[in-house]
Amino acid sequence: MRPIIVAPSILSADFLHLGDAIEMINRSDAEWVHCDIMDGHFVPNISYGMPIVRAIRPATQKLIDCHLMIERPELYIEAFAQAGAEMITVHQEASPHLDRLVEQIHSLGCRAGVAVNPSTPVELLVDLLDKVDMVLVMSVNPGFGGQKFIPRALDKVRRLRRLAPDLLIEVDGGGNAETGAKLA
Ligand code: ZN
């Protein structure tokens, strides 16, 4: 079995005590801190932006993994890189210029991911797979924490793995011991 990276989302944190949540992650085996950035346009909810990423950066040695659920990501990628993001993931549905976005992310010294919503086939990314560092498969509809895992994501991960045997695959939403074991 491949090694599994756990990336807790700070969307689940108590924002009044965010430092405690980061400390909890620091003490855990989780390797990444996942930041869910929502703009109220690409998804029907607003979460937080660069200031939170900037605040977390000095508080952890873990990799900061920014998942941009936003429109016009090209306008904000540099700001997230400057705030301390090391992995920046943009949505396939948010731009017709994914290749350019991936290049923009790489030019800032970050790793680049592309995400697909539950209704988007992973096959749409076939011409980018040799260029991206990660593909994120949404296993819930993006916009809210605490949703139930969509089982179809398992088949998408299988198809993606066949297309790209060595690719890093992130699965986002409804993760727990049961769905995690199935995904592994
Ligand atoms: Zn996410």
Side-chain angles (χ1 to χ4, degrees):
M1 198 188 291
R2 285 161 201 277
I4 303 293
I5 294 170
V6 176
S9 172
I10 58 156
L11 196 61
S12 305
D14 172 355
F15 282 94
L16 190 57
H17 303 286
L18 185 54
D20 295 345
I22 299 300
E23 264 311 302
M24 189 196 292
I25 295 173
N26 286 344
R27 287 193 305 269
S28 76
D29 293 329
E31 291 174 54
W32 294 6
V33 178
H34 188 77
C35 297
D36 283 307
I37 313 296
M38 305 176 185
D39 67 350
H41 293 279
F42 181 71
V43 288
N45 197 10
I46 297 175
S47 59
Y48 54 85
M50 292 77 87
I52 295 285
V53 177
R54 206 176 298 122
I56 294 171
R57 180 67 285 173
T60 185
Q61 301 290 316
K62 311 274 184 181
L63 181 142
I64 295 189
D65 171 33
C66 280
H67 176 197
L68 304 186
M69 288 168 270
I70 64 175
E71 287 183 359
R72 309 289 308 274
E74 65 278 8
L75 301 180
Y76 303 98
I77 284 170
E78 187 172 0
F80 279 101
Q82 284 171 354
E86 290 158 286
M87 172 72 82
I88 297 179
T89 297
V90 292
H91 263 265
Q92 189 278 336
E93 303 82 4
S95 174
H97 301 296
L98 285 176
D99 187 272
R100 185 186 295 156
L101 288 179
V102 167
E103 282 181 7
Q104 186 186 358
I105 295 167
H106 282 158
S107 75
L108 293 160
C110 297
R111 293 205 259 168
V114 172
V116 284
N117 280 338
S119 59
T120 303
V122 289
E123 286 75 10
L124 280 180
L125 302 179
V126 71
D127 287 308
L128 263 185
L129 291 176
D130 59 348
K131 200 165 181 175
V132 291
D133 300 295
M134 182 176 82
V135 168
L136 186 161
V137 173
M138 286 301 308
S139 46
V140 298
N141 282 295
F144 300 93
Q147 298 184 74
K148 204 165 167 284
F149 184 84
I150 298 173
R152 188 166 174 74
L154 292 169
D155 179 54
K156 286 176 91 162
V157 170
R158 269 189 217 103
R159 278 153 46 212
L160 182 57
R161 180 54 74 216
R162 277 199 292 270
L163 289 170
D166 299 318
L167 183 72
L168 194 55
I169 300 176
E170 185 168 45
V171 183
D172 191 350
N176 57 37
E178 188 198 337
T179 56
K182 285 180 180 165
L183 285 161

